[in-house]
Every structure is written in C-alpha cells, then in structure tokens.
Amino acid sequence: MRSEERRTLGLTEAGVELRADGDAQRFAGLAAVYGVRAAIGDPKGWGFFEEFAPGAATRTLAEFDQRMLIDHDTYYLVSRVSAGDLTLTETSRGVEVDSDLDEELSYVRDLRRNVEKRRITGMSIGFYVAAGGAEWQEIEVEEPRADGKVEVYQADLRLIREIELLEVSAVTFPAFPTTEADLRHGALPALRARGDYAAVARRAEHGGEYQAQWRELLKQMERPADPAPDRRHRDHIDRVMRGYQARYRSLGNPAR
C-alpha cells in the first residue's frame, strides 16, 4: 500500500512572495527543488538523504490535476490546475508555483496577509513516488565536527526520479516541527515503498521513543524466509569441509 509523502522548503529555498497582477496580487514560490541533497530524519541512524532528480515532475504535471492548499488541509483549497487559477511549471530549479488569490475566500485573504507579514514563508508538496521512480544508493558522507576534524560515515541516498504530485501547500512551519512528523510523513512511507525488511529492521534499532511505529511497519512487511533446513545443513557441511581442507594443507606444507 502506498502512502502519501510530504517534503518542505523553508524561506530561503521556497522564495514565497506576492506578485502584482494589476490591482490584485498573486502567490509565487518554489514547491520542490531539484538536485539538492536533504536529510530525512537522522541519516546516521534511522534516516537517510534524499534528492529529487531533474525532471521528476515532468510526467505528473502533464497528466495530473494538482491543487494548492494551506498546510496540506483540503478544506483550505486556494486554487486548482483544472480551474485555471494554478500554474505549476517545471524548471531547472524544480517545481515553480504561480497561483491566483481569490479574495472572495476569507482564508485566502488570511493567506495573503500572512505572506505579507512573513508569517508564512515555506512551501511543501504532497506526493507519491511513481512505481520504480526511486533508487537507493550507499554514499560516503563527510561531516565537519566542532573540534575542526571531519567525521566520515556511510549513509543511504534515496534518488527520486519520478513523482506523482498531488498538491502544493503554503505552510506555516517550513520544516517538520517534530521528529514524529518527520518519521510519519518522511521516513516511514519511503522505507515502506523501498520494501527492504533488513533496512527497516536496522533503522528500528535507532527508533528510540518511536519503537511502536517501527514495529508496526515491520509487521506490514514480509520478513525474508530462513533458508530451508537442508540448505542450512549443506551450508554447514561446506564450511566444515573448507576448514578441514585449509587445516590439512597447512599441516602438509613444510614451509609452515
């Protein structure tokens, strides 16, 4: 079962602003960014790094009917592609947003005012990863430490090549405000889609206070079957025989 995922951009990346449109104003921003590596959770423990590849939204923007919301709440519908008041454009930077602001709606007037006062500064997307649209790689990461040295560690990178974009949102919090939200909307859906039981079990060891969520995910996944008994027996015999062969070669070699 697929789960919707969410990713957010803060003030610097999203570039949320109001643009003049005659006597009215329009909302503009960047909802998703390409070619930038971001941490989802703690990459040293239960998280990973993630990057959207250029072109990840090409197909979805041509085929889907996206909406613009406030804080991912479907009640606060600002605009819609098929209604002609929302334009999503894919550029080299990512997915650019240009939306009408219908001030007949009280919450849209609130949105405009909150953007003016810089109370709302971020953007987010709700999406599915398309079938076969992501690949996982192991990468080496260099991280500067407070003592001036560099720590090197191994981490996973999830490279997303194709998404199914559901909606874009203007958001109050330009990043996940809690670890639980990061887990629920970031790591768990991604790892469920990955379908690697061992990868999830390894991260569950770092789950801390959220062990219940990790256990629930593991229950939803198929645990790899143990090798059949006869296969385990053959493997054991093979290891024993290789040990004997190595020992007797050593005893029979006068140079040792």
Side-chain angles (χ1 to χ4, degrees), residues 126-171:
F127 67 98
Y128 294 125
V129 174
E135 63 183 66
W136 291 83
Q137 306 169 4
E138 188 175 90
I139 60 173
E140 189 174 88
V141 181
E142 295 184 355
E143 182 178 276
R145 300 192 325 197
D147 61 5
K149 296 182 179 179
V150 175
E151 178 184 0
V152 179
Y153 64 94
Q154 299 295 119
D156 281 343
L157 170 66
R158 186 195 194 202
L159 181 61
I160 298 179
R161 298 193 180 278
E162 185 178 355
I163 62 172
E164 296 174 7
L165 182 61
L166 305 175
E167 49 90 4
V168 299
S169 281
V171 291

Side-chain angles (χ1 to χ4, degrees), residues 17-28 84-87 98-103 112:
E17 63 179 354
L18 297 174
R19 293 178 180 169
D21 182 20
D23 294 332
Q25 290 180 311
R26 302 182 64 81
F27 178 98
D85 51 12
L86 174 63
T87 301
D98 179 74
S99 174
D100 290 354
L101 293 175
D102 181 1
E103 298 208 16
R112 180 185 60 77

Side-chain angles (χ1 to χ4, degrees), residues 108-127:
V108 173
R109 293 196 299 272
D110 294 340
L111 171 63
R112 180 185 60 77
R113 183 60 173 166
N114 282 326
V115 172
E116 281 181 342
K117 300 296 289 184
R118 309 310 287 161
R119 300 185 187 111
I120 288 182
T121 57
M123 292 215 70
S124 179
I125 59 173
F127 67 98

Side-chain angles (χ1 to χ4, degrees), residues 223-252:
R223 184 173 191 145
D226 291 332
D230 60 332
R231 172 63 182 274
R232 292 200 302 268
H233 181 68
R234 289 199 303 272
D235 289 346
H236 173 70
I237 295 298
D238 287 344
R239 286 195 297 273
V240 171
M241 293 304 296
R242 285 197 296 271
Y244 278 134
Q245 291 168 358
R247 180 168 25 161
Y248 286 124
R249 278 200 302 271
S250 175
L251 290 174

